[in-house]
Amino acid sequence: MRRLILQQYVTLDGYAAGPGDDLSFFETVADAEESTRDNLELLRSIDTMLLGATTYRLFVEFWPTATDEPIAPLLNDLNKVVISSTLTEAPWGDREPATVLSGDAAELVADLKRQAGKDIVLWGSISLSYRLLAAGLIDEVQLRVCPILVGAGKPAFQVTDHPISLDLAEARPYASGGALLRYLPKETT
């Protein structure tokens, strides 16, 4: 079965977006050589990108024409799947469009994981990621911690009365001051 890896850039105070959905904090590690190296390694291990509609809209505005980004060729060549109840199509510049799926996200992703192929990455997509975490479908959580405090914004994870326990698999500091934290959901007995 394919693994589903959630990757999220977060501020040190736990936000996935600053006030007004500002993402400029990504720049505190985005150009760092170590972060790029780690992302290239990840991209070589996957063949599918999973997105929610909001993250799809952000990505499609940038990645299909991102010529100066070292990860762009690999990212743009991935199979793209968007889970959405509002979109009916998801073009990707001059490349193959993303597949749009609607319905129960947990069922759709469980089916996607059973299909042949490499691992799958879920970028951003906060509400989708939490539903999939709660359903036990995410196999790894990667947090790219940016060395900045923004004080407010969109939390990386939703508040819940159902805690999800994780085990730290790796903590890798970057020279830029950020870090890669990799967590695996704890096995429940």
Side-chain angles (χ1 to χ4, degrees):
M1 182 175 285
R2 301 162 81 181
R3 291 178 346 113
L4 177 58
I5 301 163
L6 166 62
Q7 186 184 93
Q8 183 73 267
Y9 278 77
V10 298
T11 64
L12 191 57
D13 49 352
Y15 293 100
D21 289 335
D22 179 36
L23 300 176
S24 63
F25 69 86
F26 283 26
E27 296 169 10
T28 61
V29 294
D31 295 331
E33 181 179 322
E34 298 131 320
S35 179
T36 298
R37 181 196 64 231
D38 287 344
N39 271 326
L40 288 169
E41 182 181 321
L42 172 70
L43 285 164
R44 290 182 187 109
S45 72
I46 63 175
D47 64 6
T48 303
M49 175 185 354
L50 179 64
L51 302 168
T54 301
T55 303
Y56 159 76
R57 288 181 187 104
L58 288 171
F59 272 44
V60 77
E61 290 295 316
F62 179 77
W63 287 109
T65 58
T67 56
D68 293 339
E69 295 290 332
I71 68 169
L74 290 172
L75 185 146
N76 285 319
D77 286 343
L78 293 172
N79 297 317
K80 294 156 209 66
V81 177
V82 179
I83 296 184
S84 173
S85 60
T86 58
L87 296 174
T88 57
E89 58 183 32
W92 197 266
D94 63 356
R95 301 185 191 290
E96 192 72 25
T99 301
V100 178
L101 302 175
S102 63
D104 181 88
E107 290 177 15
L108 294 168
V109 171
D111 182 55
L112 187 62
K113 288 179 67 173
R114 285 190 291 270
Q115 296 173 13
K118 292 182 176 181
D119 289 342
I120 304 162
V121 67
L122 170 61
W123 272 306
S125 308
I126 295 169
S127 59
L128 176 60
S129 67
Y130 198 82
R131 283 194 310 256
L132 298 178
L133 267 169
L137 292 168
I138 292 183
D139 302 289
E140 181 176 330
V141 175
Q142 289 188 7
L143 299 177
R144 303 296 173 113
V145 181
C146 299
I148 189 168
L149 302 169
V150 295
K154 187 179 289 183
F157 296 98
Q158 295 178 341
V159 176
T160 180
D161 56 1
H162 173 70
I164 297 170
S165 297
L166 305 167
D167 285 322
L168 180 65
E170 180 181 12
R172 185 182 314 163
Y174 293 144
S176 65
L180 166 64
L181 302 177
R182 292 180 47 242
Y183 290 92
L184 304 176
K186 283 190 177 186
E187 296 295 323
T188 55
T189 55

